[in-house]
Short mmCIF file of all heavy atoms in Angstrom, two decimals:
data_model
loop_
_atom_site.label_atom_id
_atom_site.label_comp_id
_atom_site.label_asym_id
_atom_site.label_seq_id
_atom_site.Cartn_x
_atom_site.Cartn_y
_atom_site.Cartn_z
N TYR A 6 42.82 -91.91 125.08
CA TYR A 6 43.30 -90.71 124.40
C TYR A 6 43.29 -89.47 125.31
O TYR A 6 44.08 -88.55 125.11
CB TYR A 6 42.45 -90.42 123.17
CG TYR A 6 42.57 -91.48 122.11
CD1 TYR A 6 41.71 -92.58 122.10
CD2 TYR A 6 43.56 -91.40 121.14
CE1 TYR A 6 41.83 -93.57 121.14
CE2 TYR A 6 43.68 -92.37 120.16
CZ TYR A 6 42.82 -93.46 120.16
OH TYR A 6 42.95 -94.44 119.21
N GLY A 7 42.40 -89.46 126.28
CA GLY A 7 42.26 -88.28 127.13
C GLY A 7 43.47 -87.95 127.96
O GLY A 7 43.71 -86.79 128.30
N VAL A 8 44.27 -88.96 128.30
CA VAL A 8 45.44 -88.70 129.14
C VAL A 8 46.47 -87.85 128.42
O VAL A 8 47.37 -87.28 129.04
CB VAL A 8 46.09 -90.03 129.58
CG1 VAL A 8 45.19 -90.78 130.53
CG2 VAL A 8 46.46 -90.89 128.38
N TRP A 9 46.37 -87.74 127.09
CA TRP A 9 47.34 -86.95 126.33
C TRP A 9 46.86 -85.54 126.06
O TRP A 9 47.53 -84.76 125.41
CB TRP A 9 47.63 -87.65 124.99
CG TRP A 9 48.18 -89.02 125.15
CD1 TRP A 9 47.51 -90.20 125.00
CD2 TRP A 9 49.51 -89.37 125.52
NE1 TRP A 9 48.34 -91.27 125.24
CE2 TRP A 9 49.58 -90.79 125.57
CE3 TRP A 9 50.66 -88.64 125.82
CZ2 TRP A 9 50.75 -91.47 125.91
CZ3 TRP A 9 51.82 -89.31 126.17
CH2 TRP A 9 51.85 -90.72 126.20
N CYS A 10 45.68 -85.19 126.56
CA CYS A 10 45.12 -83.89 126.21
C CYS A 10 45.88 -82.74 126.88
O CYS A 10 46.55 -82.92 127.89
CB CYS A 10 43.64 -83.82 126.62
SG CYS A 10 43.38 -83.66 128.39
N GLN A 11 45.75 -81.59 126.27
CA GLN A 11 46.31 -80.36 126.83
C GLN A 11 45.18 -79.34 126.89
O GLN A 11 44.38 -79.25 125.97
CB GLN A 11 47.45 -79.83 125.97
CG GLN A 11 48.63 -80.79 125.88
CD GLN A 11 49.70 -80.27 124.94
OE1 GLN A 11 49.75 -79.08 124.66
NE2 GLN A 11 50.55 -81.15 124.46
N VAL A 12 45.13 -78.57 127.97
CA VAL A 12 44.05 -77.60 128.16
C VAL A 12 44.65 -76.23 128.46
O VAL A 12 45.54 -76.10 129.29
CB VAL A 12 43.11 -78.02 129.32
CG1 VAL A 12 41.99 -77.00 129.49
CG2 VAL A 12 42.53 -79.40 129.06
N HIS A 13 44.13 -75.22 127.77
CA HIS A 13 44.59 -73.85 127.97
C HIS A 13 43.38 -72.93 128.04
O HIS A 13 42.54 -72.94 127.14
CB HIS A 13 45.51 -73.41 126.83
CG HIS A 13 45.83 -71.95 126.85
ND1 HIS A 13 46.58 -71.36 127.85
CD2 HIS A 13 45.50 -70.95 125.99
CE1 HIS A 13 46.69 -70.08 127.61
NE2 HIS A 13 46.04 -69.80 126.49
N GLN A 14 43.27 -72.15 129.13
CA GLN A 14 42.15 -71.23 129.28
C GLN A 14 42.56 -69.84 128.83
O GLN A 14 43.63 -69.34 129.18
CB GLN A 14 41.67 -71.16 130.73
CG GLN A 14 40.48 -70.22 130.91
CD GLN A 14 39.94 -70.21 132.31
OE1 GLN A 14 40.17 -71.12 133.09
NE2 GLN A 14 39.24 -69.16 132.67
N GLU A 15 41.70 -69.23 128.04
CA GLU A 15 41.95 -67.87 127.58
C GLU A 15 40.62 -67.13 127.59
O GLU A 15 39.72 -67.41 126.80
CB GLU A 15 42.54 -67.90 126.17
CG GLU A 15 43.12 -66.56 125.73
CD GLU A 15 43.90 -66.70 124.43
OE1 GLU A 15 44.91 -67.43 124.42
OE2 GLU A 15 43.48 -66.08 123.44
N ASP A 16 40.51 -66.18 128.52
CA ASP A 16 39.26 -65.43 128.70
C ASP A 16 38.11 -66.40 128.94
O ASP A 16 38.13 -67.15 129.89
CB ASP A 16 38.99 -64.53 127.49
CG ASP A 16 40.07 -63.45 127.36
OD1 ASP A 16 40.59 -63.03 128.39
OD2 ASP A 16 40.38 -63.06 126.23
N SER A 17 37.11 -66.42 128.04
CA SER A 17 35.92 -67.24 128.28
C SER A 17 35.94 -68.53 127.48
O SER A 17 34.89 -69.12 127.22
CB SER A 17 34.66 -66.45 127.92
OG SER A 17 34.69 -66.07 126.55
N SER A 18 37.12 -69.00 127.08
CA SER A 18 37.21 -70.24 126.31
C SER A 18 38.28 -71.16 126.88
O SER A 18 39.26 -70.72 127.46
CB SER A 18 37.55 -69.94 124.84
OG SER A 18 36.48 -69.30 124.20
N LEU A 19 38.03 -72.44 126.72
CA LEU A 19 39.03 -73.47 127.00
C LEU A 19 39.47 -74.04 125.66
O LEU A 19 38.64 -74.47 124.86
CB LEU A 19 38.44 -74.60 127.86
CG LEU A 19 38.01 -74.25 129.28
CD1 LEU A 19 37.32 -75.46 129.92
CD2 LEU A 19 39.20 -73.84 130.13
N PHE A 20 40.76 -74.02 125.40
CA PHE A 20 41.28 -74.58 124.16
C PHE A 20 41.94 -75.92 124.48
O PHE A 20 42.87 -75.99 125.29
CB PHE A 20 42.29 -73.62 123.52
CG PHE A 20 41.64 -72.34 123.06
CD1 PHE A 20 41.67 -71.21 123.87
CD2 PHE A 20 40.99 -72.27 121.85
CE1 PHE A 20 41.06 -70.03 123.47
CE2 PHE A 20 40.38 -71.09 121.43
CZ PHE A 20 40.42 -69.98 122.24
N ILE A 21 41.40 -76.97 123.89
CA ILE A 21 41.80 -78.33 124.22
C ILE A 21 42.44 -78.99 123.00
O ILE A 21 41.90 -78.91 121.90
CB ILE A 21 40.58 -79.16 124.68
CG1 ILE A 21 39.93 -78.47 125.89
CG2 ILE A 21 40.97 -80.59 125.02
CD1 ILE A 21 38.51 -78.88 126.14
N SER A 22 43.60 -79.59 123.20
CA SER A 22 44.29 -80.30 122.13
C SER A 22 44.25 -81.79 122.42
O SER A 22 44.54 -82.21 123.54
CB SER A 22 45.74 -79.82 122.00
OG SER A 22 45.78 -78.46 121.67
N LEU A 23 43.91 -82.57 121.41
CA LEU A 23 43.82 -84.02 121.55
C LEU A 23 44.63 -84.68 120.43
O LEU A 23 44.85 -84.07 119.38
CB LEU A 23 42.36 -84.47 121.47
CG LEU A 23 41.49 -84.02 122.65
CD1 LEU A 23 40.04 -83.94 122.24
CD2 LEU A 23 41.66 -84.95 123.83
N PRO A 24 45.11 -85.91 120.64
CA PRO A 24 45.94 -86.57 119.62
C PRO A 24 45.24 -86.63 118.27
O PRO A 24 44.02 -86.82 118.18
CB PRO A 24 46.15 -87.99 120.20
CG PRO A 24 46.01 -87.80 121.67
CD PRO A 24 44.97 -86.73 121.85
N ILE A 25 46.01 -86.48 117.21
CA ILE A 25 45.46 -86.42 115.85
C ILE A 25 44.77 -87.72 115.45
O ILE A 25 43.84 -87.72 114.64
CB ILE A 25 46.59 -86.09 114.84
CG1 ILE A 25 46.00 -85.69 113.48
CG2 ILE A 25 47.56 -87.24 114.72
CD1 ILE A 25 45.29 -84.38 113.48
N ASP A 26 45.18 -88.84 116.07
CA ASP A 26 44.62 -90.12 115.66
C ASP A 26 43.40 -90.53 116.50
O ASP A 26 42.95 -91.67 116.43
CB ASP A 26 45.69 -91.21 115.75
CG ASP A 26 46.26 -91.37 117.15
OD1 ASP A 26 46.01 -90.47 118.00
OD2 ASP A 26 46.97 -92.35 117.40
N ILE A 27 42.87 -89.61 117.30
CA ILE A 27 41.71 -89.96 118.12
C ILE A 27 40.50 -90.21 117.22
O ILE A 27 40.19 -89.40 116.34
CB ILE A 27 41.42 -88.85 119.16
CG1 ILE A 27 40.23 -89.26 120.05
CG2 ILE A 27 41.16 -87.52 118.50
CD1 ILE A 27 40.03 -88.31 121.22
N PRO A 28 39.78 -91.33 117.40
CA PRO A 28 38.61 -91.64 116.57
C PRO A 28 37.47 -90.66 116.83
O PRO A 28 37.40 -90.02 117.88
CB PRO A 28 38.22 -93.06 117.01
CG PRO A 28 39.44 -93.61 117.67
CD PRO A 28 40.12 -92.44 118.30
N GLU A 29 36.56 -90.58 115.87
CA GLU A 29 35.44 -89.64 115.97
C GLU A 29 34.55 -89.95 117.17
O GLU A 29 34.08 -89.05 117.85
CB GLU A 29 34.63 -89.69 114.68
CG GLU A 29 33.47 -88.70 114.67
CD GLU A 29 32.69 -88.74 113.37
OE1 GLU A 29 33.23 -89.29 112.38
OE2 GLU A 29 31.56 -88.24 113.35
N ASP A 30 34.32 -91.27 117.43
CA ASP A 30 33.42 -91.60 118.55
C ASP A 30 34.03 -91.21 119.90
O ASP A 30 33.32 -90.84 120.83
CB ASP A 30 33.07 -93.09 118.54
CG ASP A 30 34.29 -93.98 118.66
OD1 ASP A 30 35.40 -93.51 118.30
OD2 ASP A 30 34.16 -95.13 119.11
N GLU A 31 35.37 -91.24 120.00
CA GLU A 31 36.02 -90.82 121.24
C GLU A 31 35.90 -89.31 121.42
O GLU A 31 35.69 -88.81 122.53
CB GLU A 31 37.49 -91.24 121.24
CG GLU A 31 37.73 -92.75 121.26
CD GLU A 31 37.20 -93.38 122.53
OE1 GLU A 31 37.41 -92.82 123.62
OE2 GLU A 31 36.54 -94.44 122.43
N MET A 32 36.02 -88.57 120.31
CA MET A 32 35.83 -87.12 120.36
C MET A 32 34.41 -86.78 120.81
O MET A 32 34.18 -85.85 121.59
CB MET A 32 36.10 -86.51 118.99
CG MET A 32 37.57 -86.44 118.60
SD MET A 32 38.47 -85.10 119.44
CE MET A 32 37.97 -83.70 118.43
N ASN A 33 33.44 -87.55 120.31
CA ASN A 33 32.05 -87.31 120.69
C ASN A 33 31.82 -87.57 122.18
O ASN A 33 31.08 -86.85 122.84
CB ASN A 33 31.11 -88.19 119.86
CG ASN A 33 31.03 -87.73 118.42
OD1 ASN A 33 31.21 -86.55 118.14
ND2 ASN A 33 30.77 -88.66 117.50
N LYS A 34 32.46 -88.63 122.70
CA LYS A 34 32.35 -88.92 124.14
C LYS A 34 32.86 -87.75 124.97
O LYS A 34 32.28 -87.36 125.98
CB LYS A 34 33.15 -90.18 124.48
CG LYS A 34 32.56 -91.49 124.00
CD LYS A 34 33.46 -92.63 124.43
CE LYS A 34 32.99 -93.97 123.86
NZ LYS A 34 33.93 -95.06 124.24
N ILE A 35 34.00 -87.21 124.53
CA ILE A 35 34.60 -86.09 125.25
C ILE A 35 33.69 -84.87 125.17
O ILE A 35 33.49 -84.15 126.16
CB ILE A 35 36.00 -85.78 124.69
CG1 ILE A 35 36.96 -86.93 125.04
CG2 ILE A 35 36.53 -84.45 125.21
CD1 ILE A 35 38.32 -86.83 124.39
N GLY A 36 33.13 -84.62 124.00
CA GLY A 36 32.22 -83.49 123.84
C GLY A 36 31.01 -83.60 124.76
O GLY A 36 30.62 -82.61 125.40
N VAL A 37 30.44 -84.79 124.87
CA VAL A 37 29.29 -85.02 125.75
C VAL A 37 29.68 -84.77 127.21
O VAL A 37 28.95 -84.13 127.97
CB VAL A 37 28.74 -86.44 125.56
CG1 VAL A 37 27.70 -86.76 126.64
CG2 VAL A 37 28.13 -86.60 124.17
N ALA A 38 30.85 -85.29 127.61
CA ALA A 38 31.31 -85.13 128.99
C ALA A 38 31.52 -83.66 129.34
O ALA A 38 31.16 -83.21 130.43
CB ALA A 38 32.60 -85.92 129.20
N LEU A 39 32.10 -82.91 128.40
CA LEU A 39 32.36 -81.49 128.66
C LEU A 39 31.06 -80.71 128.74
O LEU A 39 30.91 -79.81 129.58
CB LEU A 39 33.26 -80.91 127.57
CG LEU A 39 34.71 -81.38 127.59
CD1 LEU A 39 35.47 -80.82 126.40
CD2 LEU A 39 35.40 -80.97 128.88
N ARG A 40 30.10 -81.03 127.88
CA ARG A 40 28.82 -80.32 127.91
C ARG A 40 28.09 -80.55 129.23
O ARG A 40 27.25 -79.73 129.63
CB ARG A 40 27.94 -80.76 126.74
CG ARG A 40 28.43 -80.26 125.39
CD ARG A 40 27.43 -80.53 124.27
NE ARG A 40 27.93 -80.10 122.97
CZ ARG A 40 28.58 -80.87 122.12
NH1 ARG A 40 28.78 -82.15 122.41
NH2 ARG A 40 29.01 -80.39 120.98
N GLY A 41 28.39 -81.64 129.90
CA GLY A 41 27.75 -81.91 131.19
C GLY A 41 28.48 -81.30 132.37
O GLY A 41 28.09 -81.48 133.52
N THR A 42 29.54 -80.55 132.10
CA THR A 42 30.31 -79.91 133.16
C THR A 42 29.73 -78.54 133.49
O THR A 42 29.54 -77.72 132.58
CB THR A 42 31.79 -79.75 132.73
OG1 THR A 42 32.34 -81.03 132.44
CG2 THR A 42 32.60 -79.09 133.83
N PRO A 43 29.39 -78.27 134.77
CA PRO A 43 28.81 -76.97 135.14
C PRO A 43 29.69 -75.81 134.68
O PRO A 43 30.90 -75.83 134.88
CB PRO A 43 28.74 -77.05 136.67
CG PRO A 43 28.68 -78.52 136.96
CD PRO A 43 29.53 -79.17 135.92
N GLY A 44 29.07 -74.84 134.08
CA GLY A 44 29.80 -73.65 133.65
C GLY A 44 30.23 -73.67 132.21
O GLY A 44 30.61 -72.64 131.65
N ILE A 45 30.19 -74.85 131.56
CA ILE A 45 30.56 -74.93 130.15
C ILE A 45 29.31 -74.75 129.29
O ILE A 45 28.35 -75.49 129.41
CB ILE A 45 31.26 -76.26 129.83
CG1 ILE A 45 32.64 -76.27 130.50
CG2 ILE A 45 31.40 -76.46 128.33
CD1 ILE A 45 33.50 -77.46 130.15
N VAL A 46 29.34 -73.71 128.46
CA VAL A 46 28.18 -73.33 127.67
C VAL A 46 28.05 -74.19 126.42
O VAL A 46 26.97 -74.70 126.11
CB VAL A 46 28.26 -71.84 127.27
CG1 VAL A 46 27.04 -71.44 126.44
CG2 VAL A 46 28.36 -70.97 128.52
N ASP A 47 29.13 -74.38 125.67
CA ASP A 47 29.07 -75.15 124.43
C ASP A 47 30.46 -75.66 124.11
O ASP A 47 31.46 -75.18 124.62
CB ASP A 47 28.54 -74.28 123.29
CG ASP A 47 27.99 -75.15 122.15
OD1 ASP A 47 27.99 -76.40 122.31
OD2 ASP A 47 27.58 -74.59 121.12
N VAL A 48 30.48 -76.69 123.26
CA VAL A 48 31.73 -77.32 122.85
C VAL A 48 31.70 -77.51 121.35
O VAL A 48 30.69 -77.96 120.81
CB VAL A 48 31.94 -78.69 123.54
CG1 VAL A 48 33.25 -79.32 123.12
CG2 VAL A 48 31.86 -78.54 125.06
N TRP A 49 32.77 -77.14 120.67
CA TRP A 49 32.82 -77.41 119.24
C TRP A 49 34.27 -77.59 118.79
O TRP A 49 35.21 -77.24 119.50
CB TRP A 49 32.13 -76.30 118.44
CG TRP A 49 32.77 -74.95 118.55
CD1 TRP A 49 33.74 -74.41 117.79
CD2 TRP A 49 32.44 -73.95 119.51
NE1 TRP A 49 34.07 -73.16 118.19
CE2 TRP A 49 33.27 -72.84 119.26
CE3 TRP A 49 31.54 -73.88 120.57
CZ2 TRP A 49 33.22 -71.66 120.02
CZ3 TRP A 49 31.51 -72.72 121.32
CH2 TRP A 49 32.32 -71.63 121.04
N GLY A 50 34.45 -78.15 117.62
CA GLY A 50 35.79 -78.38 117.07
C GLY A 50 35.69 -79.30 115.88
O GLY A 50 34.61 -79.54 115.33
#
C-alpha cells in the first residue's frame, strides 16, 4: 500500500494520503515506521 502514498509538507506537518482500502494493521506499521524517523514528533490520523 505504501507505494501509492502521497506526501505534502506544510509548515511543521507532513500530510500523508494512503489508499482507502488499506487495512488497520498496515496503517499501524506505517505509524510505527514514521515515529522512528528522526525529526518526526508524532503521528496521528
Side-chain angles (χ1 to χ4, degrees):
Y6 295 90
V8 293
W9 301 103
C10 74
Q11 299 176 20
V12 180
H13 170 66
Q14 181 177 339
E15 193 171 298
D16 296 329
S17 60
S18 291
L19 294 174
F20 294 96
I21 302 160
S22 298
L23 293 155
I25 194 70
D26 59 347
I27 182 171
E29 182 178 344
D30 60 336
E31 294 297 316
M32 286 284 280
N33 289 332
K34 288 181 186 177
I35 291 172
V37 170
L39 289 176
R40 289 188 182 94
T42 301
I45 291 186
V46 180
D47 201 2
V48 181
W49 63 90

